[in-house]
Amino acid sequence: MAKSHLGPGLLPPPPPPPPPQYWGLTLGLAYVSINCGVTSCGPSQFFSGSKPKAHQSRGRLRQLTGVLGIIKPREGFRQACSANEAASPASLAGVSGDGKGKETTRSHPHSTALGEEKLALRKRRAGAAMAVAAAEVAAAEPWPELELAERERRRELLLTGPGLEERVKAAGGRLPPRLFTLPLLHYLEVSGCSSLRAPGPGLAQGLPQLHSLVLRRNALGPGLSPELGPLPALRVLDLSGNALEALPPGEGLGPAEPPGLPQLQSLNLSGNRLRELPADLARCAPRLQTLNLTGNCLDAFPAELFRPGALPLLSELAAADNRLRELSRDIAHLASLKTLDLSNNQLTEIPAELADCPKLKEINFRGNKLRDKRLEKMVGGCQTKSILEYLRAGGRGGRGKGRQEGSEKEDRKKRREQRKQRRESGEVDEEVADSARLMLKVLHVSENPTSLTVRVSPEVRDIRPYIVGAVVRGMDLQPGNALRRFLNSQTKLHDDLCEKRTAATIATHDLQAVRGPLLYTAWPPEDLKIVPLGRREAKAKELVKQLQLEAEEQRKQKKRQSVSGLHRYLHLLDGKENYPCLVDAEGDVISFPPITNSEKTKIKKTTCNLFLEVTSATSLQLCKDIMDTLILKMVELNKSTSENKEEEALSDTEPGAGCGPSDSSLDPRAGKDGQCPLVVEQVRVVDLEGSLKVVYPSKADLLTTPPYVTVVR
């Protein structure tokens, strides 16, 4: 036994520091403890064999793991201690102290009995403890947005950007628990994160005042575990663009009794993989007003959805692009329904009871193969009012069975005679006129000597490289609210297909004010000047600064983070040294995507020829798809405007007779045969050397069109 060197009143010498091979684990634990606000401890404190220091280390580790919530405190301490013992040369190689600070080598009494398997087990334990320390470091990744929101007591929070992906992945594909300690939040948005698979536990308990929850374009699915509710104050829930397949009890929106979402008004589940809706949806959200189910795999609505009094406030139901085979007659129980979109499904019949919805103003059944061919033709070309009158009168195979068979034959004979007389007198048959009014003609660049060209500079390659353009002639925006409807349709495309301008941006210009050729380039903010819509000329740097100040003022007034207007898109410019812009031949900036257009080319009621542009930082095909949708929407709006002008001049007043023949005198743009086509002129996009990059519309564009649109190339 070594002699003691202690004298009276002397303390034992401090233990030696650990060998270098343990410093990684020690420093990792110390780093995590520092970042979590736990008192740091040095290597000697972790590896000291004295009881007081081991007790202190245990307390620190308990505090550390308690804050992070990763492992139980005692298990964490045991793992750390097991790692120390397993990695220690004293246990593996028989190295020990002699009491004087020197090391002597001796044989381990049990080394032979342990064998290679136990040595390997100890090494695995050491590796596991190192992995725990690494996970603790990852979980302690800073969230400055949460710190700022807590410090400023903000009502709204937006989490987005490239850094979000890795932080959510490090947190196990869930939102950080600290987020659910901000009880003042009214608005929370986490979008565009492919690592987010579940919101995580604690949302309902930690955010009781949440009014809006936006979790778009993430990877949520196949269910929601745990379920979202109860959220008693939630009014808007957006789960679009995820991978949800089902929302069963316990993995859905919330409980049904009592209602988990009693104040919910808007629910967006579009762009998922839902095969069925939860049967208790109406009981979970009894005050629902807007339900968007577009782009799922639904083949039927649950019967409970249309139960009398189930959803008394539902005014908008969209379920386009699904697999719906049948629409229940009980839909008439939706007393507040105003808009119904069931286009591009597999419906074969429309129940006559739909006409009993007292407030229904707009319906869309295009893209369904209806058995009633007259009704299918009306769905493709006529107004909602005419379709509802047809259904109300019975149509074919509906409630009209009460009509006398002889009377029906007499009516059909009378209509045939009228069509024969019109043909003999040179008038256009009503069916031919209907199809003609929905004709879309494509004008090739070779047929247009004054075609517009867009040149693209290399500066946009790393900012917003993709652009597609087109010229549309023949729009009629003068009657009634035609201009407002056109602008509203553009806004809706921005919110849906363009994903609130994060995926792409649409800009429309009065062609008469556009001076070609155009240049698509990127300039520094201090050099880019534009006259924004409704504002004075300003440099981009000043405009963005002004919008930021306005946004901050809005937040202070409303005590929340969300803003409106152009302010919603300012974050899309974060980190950009140069801003994209479209410049005309006179050097004027006519477009500053994704923020605003120029007052110079503003659309007016007198505008009939337009230049359209779609830009994107994502893909060229996305630009083309959005341009296809925009042009087809313009065809539909133009047709609707024409019908409004002709409504009083319809010659056939029988309910369900369809849209009557066109009176060419009502439309100065109509030809001698009564046609009112829109003309789409190709626009070429080239590089600065003149090499073609893209031309729109090409032969591969505008291929998927509704049956009521005829594209002539």
Side-chain angles (χ1 to χ4, degrees), residues 81 157 184 227 364 454 546 552 592 624 677:
C81 292
L157 180 63
L184 298 179
E227 61 185 1
N364 186 358
V454 178
Q546 181 181 358
E552 191 63 30
F592 174 21
K624 289 188 168 188

Side-chain angles (χ1 to χ4, degrees), residues 439-445 447-448 471 631 677-683 695-699 701-702 710-713:
M439 186 170 63
L440 182 64
K441 183 177 181 180
V442 177
L443 188 63
H444 195 273
V445 289
E447 303 172 325
N448 183 17
V471 170
I631 291 177
L678 282 185
V679 178
V680 182
E681 297 180 2
Q682 288 184 327
V683 172
V695 62
Y696 181 92
S698 65
K699 294 181 179 179
D701 302 317
L702 292 172
T710 302
V711 179
V712 179
R713 301 181 186 272

Side-chain angles (χ1 to χ4, degrees), residues 447-466:
E447 303 172 325
N448 183 17
T450 61
S451 62
L452 198 61
T453 302
V454 178
R455 297 182 300 127
V456 179
S457 71
E459 285 79 5
V460 299
R461 182 180 297 117
D462 299 326
I463 302 174
R464 201 176 185 87
Y466 306 108

Side-chain angles (χ1 to χ4, degrees), residues 47 85 109-110 131 154 197 242 287 322 355 380 464 548 654-655:
F47 289 88
E85 295 172 1
H110 304 291
R154 289 196 171 181
R197 299 188 297 273
N242 284 282
R287 299 183 63 82
N322 279 276
R464 201 176 185 87
Q548 289 173 342
E654 178 195 359

Side-chain angles (χ1 to χ4, degrees), residues 13 34 76 83 217 275 347 377 379 412 473 498 527 543 619 642 699-700 704 706 709:
I34 290 172
R217 296 184 298 109
R275 298 184 298 273
L347 298 173
K377 172 180 169 291
V379 163
R412 288 197 295 270
R473 298 182 183 271
C498 298
D527 296 339
L543 176 62
S619 82
S642 177
K699 294 181 179 179
T704 307
V709 175

Side-chain angles (χ1 to χ4, degrees), residues 58-340:
R58 186 181 296 109
R60 292 188 178 96
L61 191 57
R62 181 180 294 110
Q63 186 180 3
L64 166 66
T65 55
V67 171
L68 295 179
I70 299 176
I71 55 178
K72 295 180 179 180
R74 296 195 179 190
E75 292 177 355
F77 180 74
R78 291 192 189 109
Q79 290 180 18
C81 292
S82 298
N84 298 340
E85 295 172 1
S88 171
S91 61
L92 298 179
V95 178
S96 64
D98 62 353
K100 299 180 181 180
K102 298 181 181 180
E103 295 181 356
T104 60
T105 305
R106 59 180 175 85
S107 299
H108 198 291
H110 304 291
S111 59
T112 305
L114 288 175
E116 294 182 358
E117 293 184 3
K118 291 192 175 182
L119 290 175
L121 179 60
R122 289 184 175 181
K123 291 181 180 180
R124 287 197 297 271
R125 287 177 178 173
M130 293 290 289
V132 170
E136 292 174 347
V137 173
E141 189 76 23
W143 291 82
E145 306 95 332
L146 306 186
E147 298 174 4
L148 182 63
E150 183 177 16
R151 186 168 62 250
E152 297 186 355
R153 300 174 61 84
R154 289 196 171 181
R155 298 293 194 272
E156 297 198 0
L157 180 63
L158 171 65
L159 296 178
T160 186
L164 179 65
E165 194 84 26
E166 294 299 325
R167 291 185 289 173
V168 171
K169 186 181 298 182
R174 296 184 173 189
L175 297 175
R178 185 178 177 186
L179 174 60
F180 307 138
T181 63
L182 303 174
L184 298 179
L185 280 185
H186 287 181
Y187 178 94
L188 173 62
E189 178 175 353
V190 184
S191 300
C193 180
S194 60
S195 300
L196 183 61
R197 299 188 297 273
L203 188 149
Q205 294 78 9
L207 304 177
Q209 301 185 40
L210 201 61
H211 289 179
S212 299
L213 178 60
V214 180
L215 301 175
R216 299 185 310 112
R217 296 184 298 109
N218 298 303
L220 300 178
L224 295 173
S225 181
E227 61 185 1
L228 287 180
L231 290 168
L234 194 67
R235 291 173 172 80
V236 177
L237 177 58
D238 188 347
L239 300 175
S240 60
N242 284 282
L244 297 172
E245 297 179 5
L247 297 171
E251 297 184 7
L253 304 178
E257 296 294 340
L261 305 172
Q263 299 297 326
L264 189 66
Q265 299 175 4
S266 175
L267 175 60
N268 189 348
L269 294 171
S270 62
N272 282 280
R273 306 168 189 169
L274 292 172
R275 298 184 298 273
E276 61 179 2
L277 286 178
D280 58 359
L281 175 60
R283 288 185 293 153
C284 177
R287 299 183 63 82
L288 201 59
Q289 298 179 17
T290 301
L291 179 58
N292 190 345
L293 305 169
T294 302
N296 281 281
C297 304
L298 302 173
D299 54 15
F301 290 115
E304 292 81 356
L305 199 67
F306 303 142
R307 181 172 48 86
L311 292 173
L313 303 179
L314 187 67
S315 62
E316 183 174 346
L317 175 59
D321 301 307
N322 279 276
R323 305 170 184 173
L324 297 172
R325 302 175 183 273
E326 182 182 3
L327 181 60
S328 171
R329 296 180 177 182
D330 291 338
I331 193 172
H333 294 145
L334 298 179
S336 300
L337 189 64
K338 296 180 180 178
T339 302
L340 178 64

